Amino acid sequence: MKLHPWLVLLAVSTASAQSSWVSWRVPVHAEIDVAPGEMQRMPLLPLGTTLAHSDGGIGYSPGFIIAGGARMDPDAPSPGTLTPYVTKVADSDGHIIWRWQPYENSAVEGTIRQMATLYDGHGDVVVIGYTRADGVDRSLLAMIDYQTGATVWRVDGEPGTRGYGLAVDPGGDISATFYGSHRQYAAHYDLDGAPLWSISIPDADDAWDDFRIVHSGTFAFIAGHYLQPLPVAESGVQVALADPGDAQFIERYPAVGNSAPIAFDALDLIQAVLLNADGVLRRIDVTGSTRWSQLQGSTLPAIVQALDATADSGGLYAAGDVDDGNGRAAEIDRLSVGTGVSEWHTTFAAEAPRTDSASKALRSGGSNLLYTWTSEGAALPRRMHATQIDASSYDVMWQVDFGSPDPLNENEPIDIRRAPNNSVFVLALTNEASAESTATLYKFTGSFTDDIFVNGLDL
């Protein structure tokens, strides 16, 4: 079933009448200890997977974990020099619960690239990135206590390495991927940080900062950019399966130009992964075979994210942008898990005649979809939009249009999540570099926080 692009505008108009609003917005800065008794307040630039809900535990408040890099020179062109930083902010009012940096009283150069909470928000926080001292990089993997922000353990890599991606398997063990000496590494650790196994893949190239790792069931897949000098110069994306500690296969997909994995997502129920790179979406199984591939720009939009949570809704969804000659529009497609063919799609635009719009983040919101996108036109400032879509009927259940009319203020959504109380949170950033560019957390509350409404029974 195909919906006309403008039908979604009618649904949005109806949904906007629902009781939904911005409860609060809180700019999140990094408070860095730079010397004993000396603290500096710096803008925080989130990177990678940067927003996840975390329980409070007995005597502690629940909240959202935000990770990335604090900008050490905010007046320099973005991003400038960064220092690794993680913080937890309360989901009640946005106050800081705890903050974390690799070294006490020292702001070392580097950043956090990805983080995850154990057991889907229950338990401690794992982060990966790197630090730099005297011009030498070292990968950084650490576990942080979710209640206090104290370091539980940390693993510093060999000189010349950087950490990129991590994944937590169903048993709580941690897989991570690193780069160093033109090789991509994957390593597996237990809950105490003890190494269990590691493998390396040759010819890795860090030109795109794109190394990723995902779990599909008990399998660990890694992906990244490669550059093969001999016998024939070639570059592209490579994918390997580690199970456990051995490379079961290495598949390479030669490409021209930017061939970084835009997204690399697990489909746990079918023991396969989705690789989104170089304008092609592929489903790869545990033998390394490509079950199907779809070229973007023909039947699919230019995909920026494939939704990796299919269990709740029973479908596979992709968010991207499409240009039909009237301007660019944000779009969501439901794809066949078996063939990758688009079974349904709808586009999003703020006004008619259509403004340009772009997809930003798509998440599973229980049995529904949470989606954040932006729109802007020649005479219109950029606006952010948060939308919930019924995964069965594809109706827009509600939409919040938000952000500042000043284009130098935060108008770049990064992630969208739902808290256990059904409130919806969006992490945003400025869309242009400025001294005030920092992470900003929005909380939305309204009729959609009611259990009945969340389940699609709006009475």
Side-chain angles (χ1 to χ4, degrees):
M1 177 178 63
K2 300 287 186 179
L3 291 186
H4 191 281
W6 297 113
L7 289 181
V8 73
L9 298 179
L10 300 178
V12 167
S13 298
T14 301
S16 296
Q18 296 291 342
S19 176
S20 56
W21 60 88
V22 176
S23 179
W24 48 255
R25 59 174 290 280
V26 174
V28 182
H29 289 82
E31 298 177 350
I32 300 293
D33 293 321
V34 295
E38 182 181 351
M39 184 185 73
Q40 290 185 5
R41 190 169 183 260
M42 304 174 181
L44 177 59
L45 176 64
L47 294 173
T49 303
T50 55
L51 186 68
H53 193 267
S54 173
D55 285 349
I58 299 175
Y60 294 88
S61 300
F64 278 90
I65 311 295
I66 303 173
R71 297 185 61 196
M72 300 177 71
D73 184 3
D75 295 322
S78 183
T81 302
L82 302 174
T83 184
Y85 191 80
V86 186
T87 187
K88 181 177 181 179
V89 297
D91 58 19
S92 58
D93 58 7
H95 75 267
I96 293 177
I97 298 173
W98 52 253
R99 53 194 178 90
W100 181 92
Q101 61 190 86
Y103 300 97
E104 294 184 4
N105 305 323
S106 176
V108 64
E109 187 176 347
T111 193
I112 299 300
R113 293 193 176 274
Q114 192 172 351
M115 64 91 183
T117 56
L118 297 181
Y119 312 119
D120 193 22
H122 305 284
D124 293 330
V125 181
V126 186
V127 298
I128 192 169
Y130 75 98
T131 59
R132 175 177 295 168
D134 299 324
V136 178
D137 294 341
R138 287 181 182 269
S139 62
L140 170 66
L141 179 70
M143 180 177 286
I144 304 170
D145 187 286
Y146 75 107
Q147 295 177 316
T148 65
T151 301
V152 178
W153 53 258
R154 61 180 286 176
V155 177
D156 294 284
E158 296 295 324
T161 59
R162 289 190 179 193
Y164 284 89
L166 60 84
V168 180
D169 73 13
D173 289 343
I174 299 152
S175 293
T177 184
F178 311 89
Y179 169 82
S181 301
H182 303 292
R183 302 184 74 87
Q184 183 180 2
Y185 298 87
H188 202 64
Y189 303 84
D190 66 18
L191 279 173
D192 296 321
L196 300 176
W197 53 259
S198 65
I199 64 170
S200 66
I201 307 299
D203 301 326
D205 181 72
D206 65 344
W208 306 112
D209 288 351
D210 64 343
F211 302 111
R212 302 172 186 269
I213 189 165
V214 295
H215 281 129
S216 181
T218 59
F219 298 98
F221 291 83
I222 64 173
H225 185 74
Y226 77 92
L227 179 62
Q228 174 184 287
L230 296 173
V232 178
E234 179 184 281
S235 68
V237 173
Q238 62 184 0
V239 177
L241 173 67
D243 176 44
D246 293 319
Q248 300 296 324
F249 68 80
I250 301 175
E251 290 291 332
R252 289 182 169 176
Y253 307 97
V256 177
N258 186 348
S259 55
I262 298 174
F264 190 46
D265 300 301
L267 297 175
D268 292 336
L269 295 181
I270 55 176
Q271 302 274 291
V273 291
L274 292 173
L275 175 66
N276 181 20
D278 201 44
V280 180
L281 183 67
R282 293 182 175 89
R283 176 185 165 190
I284 304 167
D285 66 19
V286 294
T287 69
S289 300
T290 298
R291 297 279 188 90
W292 52 256
S293 63
Q294 290 287 358
L295 181 65
Q296 299 174 38
S298 53
T299 60
L300 298 181
I303 296 173
V304 297
Q305 183 189 357
L307 181 61
D308 59 357
T310 61
D312 290 338
S313 61
L316 169 62
Y317 295 90
D321 307 331
V322 63
D323 188 346
D324 64 359
N326 295 317
R328 298 207 63 83
E331 180 170 304
I332 297 177
D333 281 50
R334 175 178 168 128
L335 309 179
S336 166
V337 176
T339 65
V341 173
S342 177
E343 301 174 329
W344 162 89
H345 79 268
T346 190
T347 54
F348 293 80
E351 296 182 12
R354 182 190 297 169
T355 57
D356 283 340
S357 59
S359 297
K360 291 301 177 182
L362 178 67
R363 299 291 181 188
S364 174
S367 59
N368 301 305
L369 303 175
L370 293 174
Y371 183 48
T372 184
W373 51 288
T374 61
S375 65
E376 60 185 325
L380 297 173
R382 177 179 295 199
R383 294 286 286 171
M384 295 184 287
H385 313 276
T387 306
Q388 178 168 297
I389 301 166
D390 187 298
S392 299
S393 66
Y394 308 119
D395 290 336
V396 174
M397 302 175 69
W398 55 261
Q399 180 167 304
V400 180
D401 307 317
F402 63 106
S404 170
D406 180 356
L408 291 180
N409 287 329
E410 76 282 351
N411 282 306
E412 185 70 26
I414 297 173
D415 208 346
I416 184 169
R417 302 282 182 172
R418 188 190 299 282
N421 67 359
N422 292 328
S423 296
V424 174
F425 291 77
V426 170
L427 183 66
L429 190 68
T430 55
N431 65 330
E432 293 187 19
S434 74
E436 297 301 317
S437 298
T438 194
T440 302
L441 190 64
Y442 281 84
K443 179 181 181 180
F444 304 121
T445 57
S447 59
F448 55 82
T449 60
D450 297 333
D451 287 335
I452 291 178
F453 187 84
V454 167
N455 292 323
L457 302 173
D458 185 15
L459 305 178

